[in-house]
């Protein structure tokens, strides 16, 4: 949406586009291709756009309780409640956790919002897959495999047009398959970048927690309850990636460290971000805006397999075959938990800073914005000072201004920080003025 577009105007336009689509009286230029494709699938599946048929309930309360107890996401439910539950309750939203089939396992949050959600069957045990509930964030995430935000009239069912939602997949660190989805649903504030960042961060934190659980030491107890021995749950069969502040990834597995080439670094990071099971055509799009011939990608993967070994890199589809822990994933998890100082300590620079691979660029910008926003939002002088003393924060005029405001009045450090902020503002303003003057002086061709 344009910056000047209000939520009310946007909702009205989306509803009009939805009406034209379901009545077959128009094309969809106003609707994102992601949404238009979903609407077409919904129409083909026979989903009712008027909301007259609500999503079905899959199981009884007793069956659902037993299923939830044994579901892998039960282990990270406390984490979801900490990261999303309290905020949802305070802001009048609901948060939900669903399984890989779209069945909602837990729906919690603001009591009034939960009651409103019940009227459209957004309840525990209901199936919110795309085929059953139409276009919605949890269901669409399970279709496309990446975080999704659906706004008001983008929902296929008109029963959901008063809601917006943001959701992200949660993957099994061992296999890369989707265990389920985490979602935030509510009003206009869910149709914003922070809401999408929140669910993405919660999903990453959950995956990191699942890795920790998988590799946590296990104690072998004797008959008297004494600890006989302690062993690692996953042995040394995990992969460790370091990709922040460097153009060549360091990959450690079974005590052996590989320094990958820049291209192989991009491929490995893309595989981690996408999860296991990436088709070649999708990986090619992740790696370049230009078309990558299938033969070229296969050759690169063959060379990478020669470096890592056949047991580590799967093919058709591509994926890493062991659980992976990354420095950029740990930074995101720390930020989600509000541990900004620890995240900043671990953040050794942008993700593969020279890479132009689209998936790397997107994640690099998102993570840098997330950590910068956390530092600026906290306003702590120590963290601001650490940020502006880095290569990537040295020219951040806003951070220098925040640092100046936080330092004692009259101190030389405050004056220096304020002077640095002014100098950066001038450096930005002068080229803009030069361009404006040049445009004014440019001779007319009429």
């Amino acid at each position: 949406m344009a910056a000047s577009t209000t939520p009310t105007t946007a909702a009205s336009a989306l509803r009009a586009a939805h009406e034209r689509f379901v009545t077959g009286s128009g094309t969809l230029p106003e609707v994102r291709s992601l949404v238009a494709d979903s609407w077409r699938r919904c129409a083909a599946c026979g989903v009712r756009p008027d909301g007259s048929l609500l999503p079905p309930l899959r199981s009884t309360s007793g069956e659902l309780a037993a299923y939830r107890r044994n579901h892998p996401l039960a282990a990270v439910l406390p984490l979801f409640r900490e990261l999303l539950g309290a905020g949802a309750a305070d802001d009048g939203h609901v948060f939900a956790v669903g399984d890989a089939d779209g069945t909602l396992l837990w729906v919690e949050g603001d009591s009034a919002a939960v009651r409103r959600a019940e009227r459209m069957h957004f309840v525990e045990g209901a199936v919110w897959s795309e085929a059953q509930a139409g276009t919605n964030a949890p269901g669409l995430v399970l279709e496309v495999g990446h975080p999704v935000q659906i706004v008001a009239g983008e929902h296929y069912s008109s029963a959901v047009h008063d809601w917006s939602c943001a959701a992200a997949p949660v993957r099994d660190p061992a296999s890369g398959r989707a265990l389920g989805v985490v979602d935030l649903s509510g009003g206009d504030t869910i149709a914003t970048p922070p809401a999408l960042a929140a669910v993405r961060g919660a999903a990453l934190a959950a995956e990191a927690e699942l890795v920790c659980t998988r590799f946590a030491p296990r104690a072998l107890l004797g008959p008297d309850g004494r600890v006989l021995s302690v062993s690692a749950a996953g042995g040394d069969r995990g992969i460790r990636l370091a990709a922040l502040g460097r153009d060549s990834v360091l990959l450690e597995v079974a005590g052996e460290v590989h320094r990958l080439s820049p291209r192989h670094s991009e491929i490995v990071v893309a595989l981690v971000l996408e999860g296991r099971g990436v088709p070649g055509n999708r990986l090619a799009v992740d790696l370049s805006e230009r078309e990558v011939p299938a033969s070229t990608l296969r050759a690169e993967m063959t060379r990478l397999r020669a470096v890592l070994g056949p047991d580590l890199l799967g093919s058709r589809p591509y994926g890493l075959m062991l659980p992976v822990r990354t420095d950029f994933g740990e930074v995101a998890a720390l930020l989600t938990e509000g541990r900004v100082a620890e995240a900043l300590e671990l953040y050794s620079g942008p993700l593969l800073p020279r890479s132009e691979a689209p998936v790397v660029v997107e994640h690099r910008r998102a993570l840098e914005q997330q950590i910068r926003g956390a530092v600026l939002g906290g306003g702590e002088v120590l963290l601001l000072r650490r940020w502006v003393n880095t290569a990537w924060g040295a020219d951040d005029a806003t951070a220098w201004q925040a640092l100046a405001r936080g330092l004692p009045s009259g101190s030389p450090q405050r004056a220096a920080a304020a002077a640095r902020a002014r100098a950066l503002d001038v450096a930005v303003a002068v080229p803009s003025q030069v361009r404006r003057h040049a445009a004014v002086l440019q001779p007319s061709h009429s």
Side-chain angles (χ1 to χ4, degrees), residues 175 267 271 275-281 283 294 297-306 308-322:
S175 68
I267 292 173
L271 292 175
R276 184 177 173 187
V278 187
N281 56 352
L283 184 59
L297 182 60
R298 284 196 299 271
E300 287 286 4
M301 300 305 287
T302 299
R303 286 190 284 269
L304 179 57
R305 188 173 289 105
L308 301 181
D311 296 334
L312 192 57
L313 183 62
S315 60
R316 297 182 182 178
Y318 297 116
L320 296 172
M321 304 302 290
L322 293 178

Side-chain angles (χ1 to χ4, degrees), residues 81-223:
R81 284 173 171 156
E82 179 184 350
L83 298 179
L84 299 176
D90 292 342
D91 296 337
H93 307 315
V94 299
F95 93 93
V97 180
D99 70 5
D101 295 324
T103 301
L104 301 182
L105 304 180
W106 294 276
V107 179
E108 303 176 5
D110 174 70
S111 56
V114 169
R115 288 193 298 271
R116 285 179 54 226
E118 289 173 352
R119 294 199 286 271
M120 60 181 186
H121 269 201
F122 195 82
V123 295
E124 295 169 354
V127 184
W128 276 73
S129 64
E130 183 185 75
Q132 294 287 351
T135 307
N136 68 92
L140 192 50
V141 160
L142 297 173
E143 285 288 329
V144 300
H146 59 73
V148 167
Q149 202 161 24
I150 295 297
V151 178
E154 289 182 329
H155 290 93
Y156 188 71
S157 172
S158 60
V160 200
H161 280 184
D162 289 334
W163 293 77
S164 291
C165 48
V170 184
R171 299 187 181 279
D172 180 352
S175 68
R177 66 181 179 86
L179 295 173
V181 60
V182 60
D183 168 83
L184 273 177
S185 293
D188 293 340
T189 54
I190 300 298
T192 58
L196 185 59
V199 293
R200 292 180 71 170
L204 289 171
E207 290 170 359
E209 181 75 10
L210 290 169
V211 170
C212 293
T213 302
R214 179 181 174 84
F215 288 95
R218 293 178 179 172
L220 176 63
L221 302 181

Side-chain angles (χ1 to χ4, degrees), residues 120-438:
M120 60 181 186
H121 269 201
F122 195 82
V123 295
E124 295 169 354
V127 184
W128 276 73
S129 64
E130 183 185 75
Q132 294 287 351
T135 307
N136 68 92
L140 192 50
V141 160
L142 297 173
E143 285 288 329
V144 300
H146 59 73
V148 167
Q149 202 161 24
I150 295 297
V151 178
E154 289 182 329
H155 290 93
Y156 188 71
S157 172
S158 60
V160 200
H161 280 184
D162 289 334
W163 293 77
S164 291
C165 48
V170 184
R171 299 187 181 279
D172 180 352
S175 68
R177 66 181 179 86
L179 295 173
V181 60
V182 60
D183 168 83
L184 273 177
S185 293
D188 293 340
T189 54
I190 300 298
T192 58
L196 185 59
V199 293
R200 292 180 71 170
L204 289 171
E207 290 170 359
E209 181 75 10
L210 290 169
V211 170
C212 293
T213 302
R214 179 181 174 84
F215 288 95
R218 293 178 179 172
L220 176 63
L221 302 181
D224 58 357
R226 289 185 303 150
V227 177
L228 300 180
S229 63
V230 177
S231 62
D236 59 356
R237 296 283 292 162
I239 300 171
R240 170 74 183 174
L241 286 184
L244 292 177
R246 58 176 65 247
D247 297 312
S248 297
V249 159
L250 293 182
L251 183 150
E252 180 180 356
V253 59
E256 184 176 357
V257 177
H258 303 272
R259 183 184 295 275
L260 305 182
S261 70
R263 188 54 168 172
H264 286 168
S265 297
E266 292 177 330
I267 292 173
V268 168
V269 169
L271 292 175
V272 171
L273 293 175
E274 288 282 16
R276 184 177 173 187
V278 187
N281 56 352
R282 178 163 176 167
L283 184 59
V285 172
D286 284 341
L287 294 173
S288 178
E289 293 182 346
R290 295 184 299 240
E291 183 175 356
V292 178
S295 58
T296 300
L297 182 60
R298 284 196 299 271
E300 287 286 4
M301 300 305 287
T302 299
R303 286 190 284 269
L304 179 57
R305 188 173 289 105
V307 173
L308 301 181
D311 296 334
L312 192 57
L313 183 62
S315 60
R316 297 182 182 178
Y318 297 116
L320 296 172
M321 304 302 290
L322 293 178
V324 183
R325 297 188 68 177
T326 68
D327 52 359
F328 53 89
E330 290 176 0
V331 168
L334 289 169
L335 290 172
T336 303
E337 296 172 15
R339 297 158 63 182
V340 182
E342 295 172 68
L344 188 57
E345 181 70 27
L346 185 59
Y347 186 76
S348 52
L351 174 65
L352 299 183
R354 295 184 183 179
S355 171
E356 296 180 358
V359 69
V360 176
V361 171
E362 178 187 3
H363 197 78
R364 178 171 66 222
R365 289 173 178 168
L367 184 60
E368 187 166 1
Q369 289 170 1
Q370 190 178 1
I371 194 167
R372 178 179 181 269
V375 171
L376 291 176
E380 295 185 29
V381 168
L382 179 61
L383 298 185
L384 287 165
R385 194 189 300 276
R386 285 168 57 186
W387 178 259
V388 298
N389 284 336
T390 63
W392 48 91
D395 294 333
D396 191 334
T398 303
W400 281 105
Q401 291 167 358
L403 176 61
R405 289 193 298 270
L407 290 168
S409 179
S411 71
Q413 293 87 352
R414 178 170 183 163
R420 175 62 175 161
R422 287 194 297 271
L424 289 170
D425 283 338
V426 169
V428 171
V430 168
S432 299
Q433 292 172 359
V434 170
R435 285 194 297 270
R436 285 198 297 271
H437 287 313

